[in-house]
Amino acid sequence: MKPKHLFIWLFCSIFINAQNSFKMEDAEKTVVPFKLIANLIFIPVNINGADLTFLLDTGVSETSIFSLENQELKLPNVAKIKFSGLGGNVSIDGFHSDNNTARIGKNFVNRSMTVYIIVDQDFNISSHVGIPVNGIIGYHFFKDHPVVIDYSSKKITIYNNESLFRKKIKKYEEIDISIEKNKPYVFADVEMINERERSKLLIDLGNSDPAWLFPALIKDFVYNRPNIDDYLGRGFNGDVYGKRSRIHHLYLGNFAFEKPLTAMPDESSIQHVNLVEGRRGSIGGDIMRRFTVAFDYTHEKMYLRKNASFNDPFHFNMSGLDFRQDGMEWTKDLVALPARSKGSPSGGTEVINNNLQYHFVLKPVFSIAGVRKDSPADKAGLQKEDRLISINGRKTADMTLQKILEMMKSGEGKTIEMMIERKNKPMTLRFTLEDPIPYQE
């Protein structure tokens, strides 16, 4: 099973190559466009001449590749290695390759990159974000240069000029962070019901949820009600399960977030993880996307400025469905060609307007990857592996995975009509969106 709420790899216990650094070549800054899907950032990375797409994740130390799709990539000096991290098992096998050349944007270059290769295809997240994703990059992207992530414009600016960076963040709120085991941590206040608790949290851009808390590491922890048991995602060591609920407030610097959704992995999911001292959880992408955020790892600072999404409510996928994209297929659309005319025997003009033809195009295919027990979709009879044909009368082949997910968060009480195909048999099923974890005082 693959992740419903994407956060794939929160931990990576491997050694660091001190030579493995990005340099800015002949520029004061460089700008990198990115795609934002499910609160996650995907950037273009060229490795050894191959154009790839990587998830940008502050929650990992190293650069990893888990899929090449149809790309050809030559990697030198390959050797076997084991990965360990979040999940129930102890480790998974993989490989690493030294002395690769990576380029991000026009001027940001690493000529001694170490790349880790994950052969387990359960980590290929492409089908769950709707675009080909080849790997993940973390600490080495951030460690030597200040970085500003503008979620509104979907652009990242990497600075090689300190004064330019200082000018950019002049009106931002400064927050202290600590870089421990090559990942950024911040102290924030967690208010479960009415008492604020100072908590050390990982800033995890690879986690699409607003926040995670680790009940096993918090004294006298009591789950807020209502809560649900849920599949939370997949880590290096296997599937991660736990509960989802809402907390009263989360405070980050002078910013307050009301009733954020919070995931809480069970104890078995974190038992093999080598956590930094005092850590209680994570802050994820659904919090960070509400800012323009700057990271300065060298000086252990983070800078925040609210954007237009700051006051967005924290919506939950109320259907209970997990979706995936099963590649692309050729479909035929009937299109009308522009009307043409020809001369008539009487000397006038005859208009021909019934000139039609089929246009063949590649379109995405979507299916149901999982159904949460007792959810509205489960009660309606939807099942894993059902193929999606249409939602509320609109063909899913004309949608993106992001659009489908947005529809499942579009409002409590909304009726969803799904036409599906099960074992080559078409079916139409209906359900009403219902928030299973509304916050209750």
Side-chain angles (χ1 to χ4, degrees), residues 50-63:
D51 291 324
L52 307 174
T53 298
F54 276 61
L55 170 66
L56 182 63
D57 185 0
T58 51
V60 297
S61 295
E62 295 297 332
T63 304

Side-chain angles (χ1 to χ4, degrees), residues 12 14-17 57-62 138-140 142-143 178-185 202 276 297:
C12 185
I14 44 188
F15 294 104
I16 304 301
N17 179 354
D57 185 0
T58 51
V60 297
S61 295
E62 295 297 332
Y139 172 69
H140 294 285
F142 294 95
K143 72 184 182 76
S178 60
I179 308 300
E180 303 176 47
K181 296 183 179 179
N182 306 313
K183 301 165 192 174
Y185 294 84
L202 171 69
V276 301
Y297 276 29

Side-chain angles (χ1 to χ4, degrees), residues 70-338:
N70 295 320
Q71 293 276 14
E72 181 177 342
L73 176 62
K74 295 181 179 180
L75 296 171
N77 308 317
V78 175
K80 196 170 184 178
I81 195 172
K82 285 186 179 292
F83 300 93
S84 63
L86 193 65
N89 301 316
V90 177
S91 64
I92 64 170
D93 291 328
F95 300 88
H96 75 89
S97 169
D98 292 326
N99 298 319
N100 297 277
T101 297
R103 183 179 295 272
I104 300 174
K106 294 181 179 180
N107 309 94
F108 203 47
V109 182
N110 184 341
R111 301 188 183 279
S112 59
M113 173 178 275
T114 296
V115 176
Y116 294 83
I117 303 101
I118 299 167
V119 296
D120 186 343
Q121 282 304 294
D122 279 345
F123 289 99
N124 185 350
I125 67 173
S126 299
S127 65
H128 283 259
V129 296
I131 63 170
V133 182
N134 306 109
I136 184 169
I137 189 168
Y139 172 69
H140 294 285
F141 181 88
F142 294 95
K143 72 184 182 76
D144 294 316
H145 294 79
V147 173
V148 175
I149 302 173
D150 189 332
Y151 280 90
S152 297
S153 68
K154 297 181 178 60
K155 291 181 180 179
I156 298 172
T157 304
I158 308 161
Y159 287 86
N160 196 36
N161 183 305
E162 183 74 14
S163 62
L164 280 180
F165 174 69
R166 293 295 161 195
K167 183 178 180 180
K168 174 66 178 179
I169 62 170
K170 187 176 181 180
K171 296 183 179 180
Y172 289 38
E173 178 173 333
E174 178 183 305
I175 296 177
D176 291 331
I177 61 175
S178 60
I179 308 300
E180 303 176 47
K181 296 183 179 179
N182 306 313
K183 301 165 192 174
Y185 294 84
V186 67
F187 278 95
D189 287 352
V190 175
E191 184 178 281
M192 296 294 294
I193 298 176
N194 51 29
E195 292 185 6
R196 293 170 62 160
E197 293 287 340
R198 196 74 168 160
S199 302
K200 186 177 184 178
L201 305 176
L202 171 69
I203 304 167
D204 189 1
L205 298 187
N207 183 336
S208 63
D209 284 315
W212 278 41
L213 293 175
F214 298 153
L217 304 180
I218 302 174
K219 185 179 179 180
D220 301 324
F221 185 90
V222 178
Y223 292 98
N224 281 357
R225 294 185 179 274
N227 58 68
I228 60 171
D229 295 314
D230 205 2
Y231 169 68
L232 304 183
R234 182 172 175 83
F236 271 121
N237 292 350
D239 292 334
V240 180
Y241 296 91
K243 291 184 180 292
R244 293 188 187 278
S245 185
R246 295 180 188 268
I247 61 175
H248 193 216
H249 281 99
L250 176 69
Y251 300 91
L252 178 59
N254 291 318
F255 303 104
F257 302 93
E258 184 177 3
K259 301 178 183 177
L261 290 159
T262 305
M264 294 151 286
D266 57 33
E267 186 172 3
S268 63
S269 295
I270 65 172
Q271 63 181 338
H272 298 295
V273 179
N274 183 19
L275 299 176
V276 301
E277 183 178 358
R279 181 184 171 190
R280 293 187 172 187
S282 306
I283 294 176
D286 199 12
I287 292 288
M288 302 310 297
R289 71 170 182 85
R290 298 159 193 266
F291 299 96
T292 298
V293 54
F295 290 102
D296 185 353
Y297 276 29
T298 302
H299 299 99
E300 295 192 302
K301 299 288 184 181
M302 177 173 69
Y303 302 87
L304 300 176
R305 186 173 185 178
K306 291 193 294 186
N307 63 26
S309 299
F310 183 81
N311 292 316
D312 287 355
F314 292 94
H315 286 310
F316 187 69
N317 179 349
M318 292 177 275
S319 69
L321 294 173
D322 181 19
F323 303 97
R324 69 168 180 259
Q325 181 175 328
D326 296 325
M328 310 282 284
E329 73 174 9
W330 290 102
T331 61
K332 59 181 182 179
D333 291 341
L334 188 64
V335 296
L337 297 178

Side-chain angles (χ1 to χ4, degrees), residues 370-435:
V371 185
R372 190 179 70 247
K373 186 179 178 181
D374 296 327
S375 65
D378 182 38
K379 293 175 182 177
L382 286 150
Q383 298 179 10
K384 184 178 179 179
E385 305 301 337
D386 287 345
R387 176 174 172 171
L388 301 182
I389 306 300
S390 69
I391 301 176
N392 290 352
R394 181 180 171 187
K395 292 181 180 179
T396 54
D398 296 325
M399 299 183 187
T400 62
L401 193 58
Q402 178 83 348
K403 178 61 179 178
I404 293 173
L405 292 172
E406 288 173 359
M407 294 178 73
M408 300 304 108
K409 300 179 180 181
S410 56
E412 190 169 18
K414 182 176 180 178
T415 298
I416 299 293
E417 180 181 276
M418 282 191 176
M419 180 180 290
I420 56 105
E421 186 179 278
R422 182 182 300 164
K423 296 180 180 179
N424 297 319
K425 180 182 177 181
M427 303 174 65
T428 299
L429 302 171
R430 297 176 183 84
F431 58 87
T432 301
L433 295 180
E434 179 183 348
D435 188 351

